[in-house]
Amino acid sequence: MSGILGKGKPGAECNLVLLGVTGCGKSALTVKFLTKRFIGEYDPCLEDIYTSEEIVDQQLVTVRVMDTCDQGLPVNCERYLSWANAFLVVYSINNVESFHGCQLYLQILSSHNKTFRPQTPIILLGNKLDMDRYRLVSCDAEALATRFGCLFFELSACRDFESVQHVFYEAVRRSNRG
Ligand code: GDP
Ligand code: MG
């Protein structure tokens, strides 16, 4: 290969897993990243893996996004643990229950950290930043991220595409694909 893609290893791949309680916006974030569009209503029971060819830091990467859906409590985590190169654990900043859900997911991930690849990054994501005036979760999130050694971002699936893309690309950059 030559030109802007010349520096990258051919065939780079990255598997991202989105976790979080129903309604926090995992599907909206996934769709935004893949299509640049905000889709307001999305089948809440749909779980799928989507593939997109992306150029991250001048390297072509096949990014796969698993948009998970757990009905109620986190179950059957084997389906993503060894597959993931990075985890994105999502809550909505205006919903305390969704934040508690993140704590549960982070505990599950830390209790299974022998199952997934070492140094697989976990990113805590506060979604629905456009709802800032109804915010119910703030500094607790930073403390949680510190406690579990996560990166932490706030963003909105219905605002600009660039900040959503930035977070997904950051997950790709930091992912453990070794
Ligand atoms: P999921 O169950 O985690 O996949 O959540 P969805 O992506 O289906 O989103 C649940 C609801 O939250 C839907 O009504 C979305 O329109 C809404 N939603 C998702 N992201 C945002 C956001 O960033 N801001 C606002 N205001 N609503 C959002
Ligand atoms: Mg969904």
Side-chain angles (χ1 to χ4, degrees), residues 5-37:
L5 304 178
K7 287 184 200 157
K9 278 187 290 179
E13 298 181 357
C14 181
N15 296 340
L16 305 179
V17 175
L18 273 83
L19 300 170
V21 302
T22 302
C24 65
K26 299 176 298 297
S27 299
L29 287 168
T30 302
V31 171
K32 181 78 167 206
F33 172 63
L34 296 169
T35 69
K36 302 190 180 178
R37 296 208 188 130

Side-chain angles (χ1 to χ4, degrees), residues 21-28 38 40-41 127-128 130-131 156-158:
V21 302
T22 302
C24 65
K26 299 176 298 297
S27 299
F38 174 67
E41 289 311 318
N127 187 35
K128 310 198 185 180
D130 55 290
M131 303 292 274
S156 165
C158 65

Side-chain angles (χ1 to χ4, degrees), residues 21-23 25-28 42-47 67-69:
V21 302
T22 302
K26 299 176 298 297
S27 299
Y42 205 76
D43 182 348
C45 303
L46 202 64
E47 172 164 312
D67 174 24
T68 65
C69 172

Side-chain angles (χ1 to χ4, degrees), residues 82-103:
S82 56
W83 184 82
N85 299 117
F87 298 102
L88 295 98
V89 182
V90 185
Y91 65 94
S92 38
I93 65 160
N94 60 340
N95 184 307
V96 174
E97 267 180 40
S98 73
F99 182 63
H100 292 152
C102 277
Q103 293 171 320

Side-chain angles (χ1 to χ4, degrees), residues 13-19 80-90 105-106 109-110 113 116-125 145 148-153 167-178:
E13 298 181 357
C14 181
N15 296 340
L16 305 179
V17 175
L18 273 83
L19 300 170
Y80 50 73
L81 282 177
S82 56
W83 184 82
N85 299 117
F87 298 102
L88 295 98
V89 182
V90 185
Y105 278 102
L106 290 173
L109 290 179
S110 77
N113 67 359
F116 54 80
R117 301 156 211 242
Q119 267 116 49
T120 302
I122 303 172
I123 301 177
L124 182 63
L125 288 184
F148 284 92
C150 306
L151 275 180
F152 170 55
F153 295 98
V167 166
F168 277 76
Y169 278 12
E170 210 43 35
V172 172
R173 284 186 190 104
R174 291 172 185 261
S175 63
N176 180 357
R177 292 175 274 146

